[in-house]
């Protein structure tokens, strides 16, 4: 029982229980599950396992998250766009304040809204010329009340005062508008892609990216495995076993096991199995992936020998360093003078 309760399983159980009690923990649970899938997927890719189920699962999760986010973004931006225009009928009842820059300073107003209509506009503060700006603001106030819209013509000869007054009324009304949702830059990009039907291109691109990633994965492993790279293409079909006159070597199906061991980098095992091969080449002629078992074995043994040579060289260097240290300590002499005792060498 204990061996099944691995850390990821324990964490999942704990967070699931937590999620039952605290709804906010559900997000944590989803994050944890995604995290586990990604972590396992990366481990699989790093280890070069043939079974990449978690890696594929991670890609599917990322794909689904991106898709979900794309549609959510589109909804978010659409909602935001609906509220781009100031619509007095949507303004909630109440009194709102706003300010605008007139010709001679700030113009502050209080706008009263009742049942979707502007019922009163009070000028709270202004320093415009009464005979020009003052008159213009009063005229604009009447026009706005009459038309129930802020987009009214400015009064000629008092354009700056008119604009300042309209800006103040507009800002006050915006205060009463339903809140616009915050839209992130990424959400806008997603919306643009959807609106322009680029989502199809995007999803196709993701599919292409997926294939490219798989190819890159295989290529990287082929490069890493150098000459043994062809073993990565083995499909465990056992055709080579049927073709090979040996068939079973050291209790394992031959030469398939040898190829699979090479893929795992277990070159010592390949070295043990290689002597069973008689070099008839029947396996490579039949293998659907064109794998030559003797060639894989030869490359593996070459890599193994290289590794052994490197280790031996390292060992020699360590021994040499140790000898030098010992020699140096032997050469040291103790010199006694009137000033004291010193070590030379
Ligand atoms: S070359 Fe070796 S591994 Fe391949 S079929 Fe012949 S004996 Fe078997
Ligand atoms: S025939 Fe080729 S692909 Fe099939 S198991 Fe043998 S080496 Fe692998």
């Amino acid at each position: 029982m204990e061996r099944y309760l691995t850390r990821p399983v324990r964490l999942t159980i704990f967070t699931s229980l937590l999620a039952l009690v605290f709804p906010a923990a559900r997000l944590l649970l989803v994050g944890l599950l995604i995290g586990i899938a990604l972590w396992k997927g990366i481990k699989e890719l790093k280890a070069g396992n043939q079974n990449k189920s978690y890696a594929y699962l991670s890609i599917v999760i990322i794909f689904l998250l991106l898709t979900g986010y794309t549609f959510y973004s589109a909804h978010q931006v659409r909602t935001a766009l609906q509220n781009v225009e100031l619509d007095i009928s949507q303004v909630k009842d109440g009194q709102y304040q706003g300010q605008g820059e007139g010709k001679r300073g700030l113009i502050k107003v209080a706008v009263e809204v009742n049942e979707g209509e502007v019922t009163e506009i009070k000028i709270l503060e202004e320093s415009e010329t009464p005979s020009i700006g003052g008159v213009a603001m009063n005229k604009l106030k009447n026009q706005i009340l009459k038309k129930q819209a802020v987009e009214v013509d400015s009064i000629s000869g008092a354009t700056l005062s008119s604009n300042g007054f309209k800006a103040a009324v507009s800002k006050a009304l915006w205060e009463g508008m339903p809140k616009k949702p915050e839209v992130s830059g990424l959400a806008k990009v997603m919306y643009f892609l959807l609106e322009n039907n680029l989502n199809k291109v995007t999803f196709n691109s993701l599919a292409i990216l997926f294939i490219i990633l798989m190819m890159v994965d295989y290529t990287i492993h082929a490069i890493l495995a150098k000459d043994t790279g062809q073993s990565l293409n083995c499909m465990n079909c056992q055709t080579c076993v049927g073709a090979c006159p040996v068939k079973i070597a050291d209790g394992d199906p031959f030469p398939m096991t040898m190829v699979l061991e090479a893929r795992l980098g277990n070159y010592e095992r390949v070295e043990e199995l290689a002597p069973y091969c008689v070099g008839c080449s029947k396996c490579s002629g039949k293998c659907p992936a064109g794998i030559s078992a003797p060639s894989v074995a030869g490359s593996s043994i070459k890599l193994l020998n290289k590794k052994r040579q490197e280790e031996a060289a390292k060992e020699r260097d360590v021994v040499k360093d140790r000898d030098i240290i010992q020699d140096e300590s032997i050469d040291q002499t103790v010199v006694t003078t009137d000033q004291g005792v010193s070590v030379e060498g």
Side-chain angles (χ1 to χ4, degrees), residues 223-253:
I223 291 166
L224 287 178
K226 292 195 179 130
D227 300 334
T228 58
Q230 54 178 316
S231 64
L232 292 167
N233 297 328
C234 177
M235 298 170 279
N236 301 19
C237 66
Q238 302 211 16
T239 309
C240 54
V241 181
C244 180
V246 181
K247 292 199 182 353
I248 299 286
D250 204 11
D252 288 320

Side-chain angles (χ1 to χ4, degrees), residues 69-191:
Y69 184 70
T70 307
F71 284 105
Y72 172 69
S73 307
H75 169 73
Q76 233 189 348
V77 181
R78 255 185 220 117
T79 315
L81 283 178
Q82 277 166 6
N83 292 334
V84 159
E85 296 293 322
L86 174 63
D87 181 355
I88 293 174
S89 66
Q90 282 191 37
V91 179
K92 289 179 224 144
D93 291 357
Q95 196 188 65
Y96 306 100
Q97 292 191 3
Q99 60 184 44
E101 188 66 40
K103 189 177 179 180
R104 292 176 177 274
L106 273 184
I107 300 172
K108 283 189 186 170
V109 298
V111 182
E112 206 165 295
V113 179
N114 196 9
E115 293 183 359
E117 285 197 357
V118 180
T119 51
E120 180 67 275
I121 300 173
K122 283 185 198 149
I123 299 170
L124 302 177
E125 194 183 312
E126 54 95 4
S127 45
E128 304 303 293
T129 312
S131 57
I132 307 170
V135 172
M137 286 192 291
N138 275 328
K139 280 187 184 169
L140 287 170
K141 180 178 139 181
N142 293 332
Q143 280 187 40
I144 291 170
L145 287 171
K146 193 177 164 195
K147 283 193 174 180
Q148 288 298 315
V150 186
E151 296 80 31
V152 291
D153 292 337
S154 298
I155 307 298
S156 66
T159 315
L160 292 178
S161 304
S162 303
N163 290 347
F165 180 76
K166 286 194 284 182
V169 175
S170 174
K171 275 187 191 159
L173 288 169
W174 269 112
E175 289 295 310
M177 284 282 284
K179 285 279 167 256
K180 282 195 290 179
E182 288 290 318
V183 178
S184 67
L186 187 58
K188 285 179 190 156
V189 172
M190 295 295 190
Y191 175 74

Side-chain angles (χ1 to χ4, degrees), residues 240 243-246 254-255 258 276-284 293-294:
C240 54
C244 180
V246 181
F254 188 81
M258 191 164 71
Y276 288 90
C277 174
V278 293
C280 65
S281 293
K282 283 184 181 160
C283 54
S284 44

Side-chain angles (χ1 to χ4, degrees), residues 43-57:
K43 265 179 78 175
E44 274 172 2
L45 289 174
K46 269 189 177 172
N49 290 357
Q50 194 198 22
N51 179 3
K52 293 189 175 68
S53 47
Y54 279 105
Y56 292 127
L57 180 67

